[in-house]
Amino acid sequence: METMLDYINEEQETLETIINSFDITQIKVKNVKHCLILATGSSYNACLSAKYYIEQTAPVYVQIEEPFNFLHYGKIDPSIDLIIAVSQSGKSASTIQAVQKLTQTRKIKTIALTSNTSSPISQVVDEVLDLNMGIETVGFVTKGYLATVLNLMLMGLRLAYQSGSIDRFTLDSELTELKNAISQINSVIEKTSDFWLENQADLTAGSRFIAIGYGPNVGTAKEFETKFTETVRLPSQGFELEAYMHGPYLEANQNHSLFFVENDNDLIERSQALKSYLSEYVAACYTITTSAKSEPKTLSLSIKTPEKISPLLLVIPFQYLAYQIATGKGIDLNKRIFDDFDQELKSKI
């Protein structure tokens, strides 16, 4: 039986396959200006992580909505000219229902991103983009998460190139940057393994976990929240840097383990100031960074990559640590719980 760790170890090979088979003309998205993305759970977090890349690369505004609430309370902007529905399983009931409702009164191009091209969501959209990573049988998605982020970034390149806002030289440069990041995934896993061994006792003893990020890595912090909640099954939250400083910090105490997600830009000083202030009030402050640092409780990836691409790498340590901490706490992740949940709550079709 495959585990989360098995899929994590397949991530580099899987993403190399995705980018090496990338076809700029596969999906027609010429002249799109306003894109609505519907997603929930880890798919939503992946969209948050890719939004900055898309908007920095293409002349498009990206709006991300959780489909259930948007279905019942949302109002569609008349300028929306593309809807992307993201569902790894292709069975998310709320996402399918939202697409159906939004296209009842006005013709809008719809695309589904899914790993199951014959799933129910494929029946309600104009085009289907295969995430090209196979079926992930473990419920706590890891490989599928990265595949979703990468495919959304590649969609950003399609939007940019087909609109004429970037030329072939820039397209190739962007693909080279993405390939460079992907080539370092196995190294990130190895460095995270070393970090885990150094901090194993304290991390396993933790009882309250918080991740704090900024920019595109707000999505990373939110995926930390999802993954730790699903696996470690203890209170876990992910915050945007400034949002944490407007109230949530008042909860800080000696039971808290904080992770600061950092990459080099002007906001790193703000993040480091918060970490310095809180260090005496919490159990531990850890740093996950793309920079080259040699400091206690710091996972230094020593990778030069543009900030808009960094979510492809910075989420991997949290996937790995979620698995190891859960296992260290004696949680058998292969043992299914709440087996009748989707059936009873009708969250999946």
Side-chain angles (χ1 to χ4, degrees):
M1 180 180 294
E2 290 189 292
T3 67
M4 274 179 67
L5 189 57
D6 292 323
Y7 285 120
I8 291 168
N9 287 324
E10 293 174 7
E11 287 177 330
Q12 179 167 322
E13 182 181 359
T14 298
L15 266 62
E16 287 173 344
T17 297
I18 292 169
I19 200 164
N20 288 333
S21 59
F22 172 63
D23 179 357
I24 193 70
T25 64
Q26 181 181 0
I27 300 287
K28 305 300 181 184
V29 286
K30 186 177 181 180
N31 298 324
V32 171
K33 299 296 183 184
H34 187 167
C35 175
L36 171 65
I37 304 182
L38 299 171
T40 194
S42 284
S43 293
Y44 181 88
N45 302 336
C47 295
L48 280 180
S49 293
K51 172 181 165 73
Y52 183 73
Y53 184 94
I54 297 170
E55 291 185 334
Q56 286 288 306
T57 306
V60 62
Y61 168 66
V62 175
Q63 175 185 349
I64 307 170
E65 298 286 350
E66 293 183 304
F68 183 84
N69 203 56
F70 194 70
L71 171 66
H72 293 284
Y73 297 99
K75 183 177 181 180
I76 189 163
D77 190 314
S79 69
I80 290 171
D81 45 19
L82 175 66
I83 296 174
I84 298 178
V86 185
S87 174
Q88 187 173 324
S89 69
K91 299 177 181 179
S92 174
S94 60
T95 304
I96 293 167
Q97 291 161 7
V99 171
Q100 290 174 316
K101 180 179 179 180
L102 293 173
T103 54
Q104 277 179 353
T105 57
R106 185 163 70 90
K107 178 61 178 176
I108 307 173
K109 183 179 178 66
T110 53
I111 300 170
L113 266 64
T114 179
S115 63
N116 185 351
T117 58
S118 61
S119 60
I121 201 168
S122 67
Q123 308 304 312
V124 300
V125 295
D126 298 320
E127 295 188 71
V128 179
L129 181 63
D130 188 351
L131 289 173
N132 198 14
M133 40 72 64
I135 303 298
E136 194 170 13
T137 58
V138 174
F140 320 111
V141 300
T142 51
K143 181 173 71 170
Y145 179 86
L146 277 195
T148 302
V149 174
L150 177 59
N151 273 290
L152 286 166
M153 290 179 173
L154 294 174
M155 185 65 74
L157 289 179
R158 289 189 179 92
L159 288 161
Y161 186 76
Q162 292 182 25
S163 71
S165 63
I166 63 171
D167 57 18
R168 187 75 210 190
F169 177 81
T170 304
L171 171 64
D172 290 341
S173 296
E174 290 289 335
L175 289 171
T176 297
E177 290 280 16
L178 287 168
K179 288 177 180 178
N180 179 60
I182 292 166
S183 72
Q184 299 179 78
I185 288 176
N186 287 341
S187 174
V188 171
I189 296 170
E190 291 173 9
K191 290 174 181 177
T192 306
S193 176
D194 292 339
F195 176 83
W196 161 248
L197 294 174
E198 292 170 8
N199 299 279
Q200 181 174 355
D202 290 341
L203 287 169
T204 303
S207 59
R208 174 78 165 100
F209 299 94
I210 292 172
I212 300 167
Y214 49 85
N217 286 298
V218 172
T220 301
K222 296 306 293 184
E223 177 59 9
F224 155 90
E225 176 181 311
T226 299
K227 209 54 58 205
F228 268 57
T229 302
E230 289 175 335
T231 58
V232 181
R233 297 167 189 171
L234 286 171
S236 304
Q237 284 181 279
F239 290 97
E240 185 272 329
L241 173 62
E242 195 68 19
Y244 181 79
M245 300 169 75
H246 284 71
Y249 75 94
L250 293 169
E251 184 204 3
N253 60 48
Q254 289 296 323
N255 292 322
H256 289 210
S257 298
L258 272 58
F259 293 92
F260 289 83
V261 188
E262 295 181 353
N263 49 269
D264 285 329
N265 78 356
D266 294 340
L267 297 183
I268 194 171
E269 293 183 6
R270 186 83 165 145
S271 178
Q272 291 172 345
L274 176 61
K275 178 172 55 181
S276 177
Y277 178 87
L278 288 174
S279 59
E280 63 180 289
Y281 297 104
V282 298
C285 286
Y286 301 97
T287 303
I288 313 294
T289 178
T290 54
S291 301
K293 291 183 178 180
S294 180
E295 298 175 359
K297 300 188 185 304
T298 297
L299 172 50
S300 174
L301 301 181
S302 302
I303 291 170
K304 289 189 178 299
T305 192
E307 182 182 24
K308 63 182 181 179
I309 293 175
S310 64
L312 275 177
L313 299 174
L314 285 169
V315 74
I316 298 169
F318 294 123
Q319 297 174 337
Y320 185 94
L321 293 174
Y323 174 81
Q324 295 291 11
I325 294 172
T327 302
K329 287 182 176 292
I331 299 170
D332 183 358
L333 295 176
N334 287 323
K335 184 178 180 181
R336 295 181 61 87
I337 58 175
F338 304 118
D339 260 355
D340 60 347
F341 186 88
D342 289 337
Q343 180 180 348
E344 291 296 323
L345 276 296
K346 298 178 174 59
S347 59
K348 298 284 180 70
I349 294 178

